[in-house]
Amino acid sequence: MKLSLGAVAAAILLGLMGSPANAADDYPSRQIKIIVPFPAGAGPDQVARLLGQQLQDVLGQTVVIENRSGALGSIGAQEVARAQPDGYTLLMGTNTTQASNVAMLKNLPYDPAKDFTPVLRTVTTAMVLLVNPNFPAKDLPQFMAYAKTHPNMTAGYGSGASQISNAQLQSRGGISIVSAAYRGVPLAVTDVIAGVIDLAFADFSVAIPQMQGGTLRGIGVTSPTRNELTPDLPPLADVMPGFEATIWYGLLAPANTPAPVVNKLYAASEKILSAPATREKLAGLGMIVSTMPPAEFGSFVQSEIIRWTEAAKAAGIEAK
């Protein structure tokens, strides 16, 4: 049987490229990079470093963490969206990069749904409203009373969830604040400690060490209920009905990453995160391991884009 030149060329090309299954068999054959679109020390950074360290042992290759902060995480997310879809450049994305940025940024340089292949959701968590220990208000009722008589308090933000939470203070609490943008939540927290700004919302993983060390005071949490790590802090919804900001992080790859590679990453990551020791460590940071497989995570991202867009609209935020 004779083959056409085109058929012969296609056969040779297929042989050179290998099938997706063979690509997965060889994966990984070199260093993997996880880009965190927020500063070192931020919640997503802590999860990425914990996961990356253990992925090295499971996959047998070095896993490096690179921080690419700025523009509400869109700088780092864009870098991954434009990377080769081979499983060697990954993103520790969040509800900011994959959902709320749609409502926050007019010219978002990537499509949170179309430009990425979901690998798995890692954790869910919430935030704490933080003030300096010298701030006059000691608890949530005192804070509300103080805020009513002291307009234009300064509030830092470094993520979509923290920006929306600032806006909710105004829309749901009738509080007048002036918001200041930072390259990440830890930088805003640093300025609260220094007394440069009055308040900031920070992920549990960032807030808890500061509260335990006495450098910051917690006022309330953005979750619908109290957290066992901060049992004395009430939900902000207790005095501002409807106030809620539950956040999440997840691992993503560029769009068109081969399914066998994605599945290999998912299986390894899910096993790591489900281990009792890992769950316990993350729980100590106020994070709940809540993994989702690729397809479910992809559908979840679609629904989150709608949810956070509505939340931004309700808070009166206009894209910039």
Side-chain angles (χ1 to χ4, degrees), residues 6-314:
V8 172
I12 293 173
L13 181 60
L14 180 60
L16 291 173
M17 293 178 61
S19 67
N22 289 336
D25 288 341
D26 296 336
Y27 176 85
S29 59
R30 54 186 173 87
Q31 176 181 285
I32 297 171
K33 176 170 62 177
I34 300 178
I35 290 181
V36 177
F38 297 100
D45 178 73
Q46 295 185 49
V47 174
R49 292 182 186 280
L50 185 152
L51 179 60
Q53 183 178 17
Q54 297 187 55
L55 277 175
Q56 292 186 148
D57 298 330
V58 175
L59 298 177
Q61 291 292 340
T62 301
V63 178
V64 298
I65 310 300
E66 293 189 6
N67 299 91
R68 295 282 190 270
S69 60
L72 293 178
S74 65
I75 294 174
Q78 180 185 15
E79 183 174 336
V80 176
R82 294 180 175 180
Q84 288 295 316
D86 52 17
Y88 291 98
T89 303
L90 306 172
L91 174 71
M92 183 56 72
T94 72
N95 54 280
T96 294
T97 59
Q98 307 310 123
S100 64
N101 272 355
V102 172
M104 300 292 187
L105 303 176
K106 282 184 178 179
N107 299 308
L108 189 63
Y110 60 88
D111 187 307
K114 295 180 180 179
D115 291 345
F116 298 89
T117 298
V119 177
L120 87 164
R121 188 179 72 175
T122 55
V123 302
T124 57
T125 185
M127 295 181 293
V128 181
L129 171 57
L130 298 168
V131 297
N132 188 282
N134 296 321
F135 192 83
K138 307 299 182 184
D139 54 29
L140 183 54
Q142 289 183 14
F143 176 85
M144 297 301 292
Y146 180 86
K148 296 289 186 180
T149 56
H150 293 77
N152 299 325
M153 289 189 298
T154 49
Y157 69 87
S159 68
S162 57
Q163 184 179 2
I164 288 176
S165 293
N166 282 352
Q168 286 191 86
L169 279 180
Q170 298 191 93
S171 62
R172 298 184 185 278
I175 297 170
S176 173
I177 62 173
V178 177
S179 289
Y182 286 80
R183 291 181 67 87
V185 169
L187 302 178
V189 167
T190 297
D191 271 4
V192 177
I193 295 172
V196 176
I197 59 176
D198 294 308
L199 59 97
F201 285 90
D203 304 13
F204 270 94
S205 59
V206 175
I208 289 174
Q210 300 297 339
M211 291 189 294
Q212 291 175 338
T215 53
L216 288 173
R217 177 187 300 133
I219 295 296
V221 296
T222 64
S223 54
T225 59
R226 289 178 186 257
N227 187 286
E228 62 180 15
L229 291 177
T230 56
D232 296 333
L233 296 184
L236 295 170
D238 282 0
V239 297
M240 290 174 275
F243 196 117
E244 189 267 335
T246 301
I247 56 183
W248 51 267
Y249 316 142
L251 193 65
L252 303 105
N256 301 316
T257 298
V261 171
V262 172
N263 292 335
K264 195 167 189 177
L265 283 167
Y266 166 73
S269 300
E270 201 279 333
K271 183 177 181 180
I272 291 168
L273 291 169
S274 297
T278 306
R279 285 180 174 272
E280 183 178 353
K281 186 169 185 177
L282 289 171
L285 297 172
M287 300 179 188
I288 301 170
V289 172
S290 51
T291 58
M292 283 182 177
E296 184 180 355
F297 185 29
S299 297
F300 175 75
V301 168
Q302 294 276 12
S303 66
E304 284 290 279
I305 291 173
I306 296 172
R307 184 173 81 88
W308 284 95
T309 298
E310 292 175 346
K313 183 178 180 180

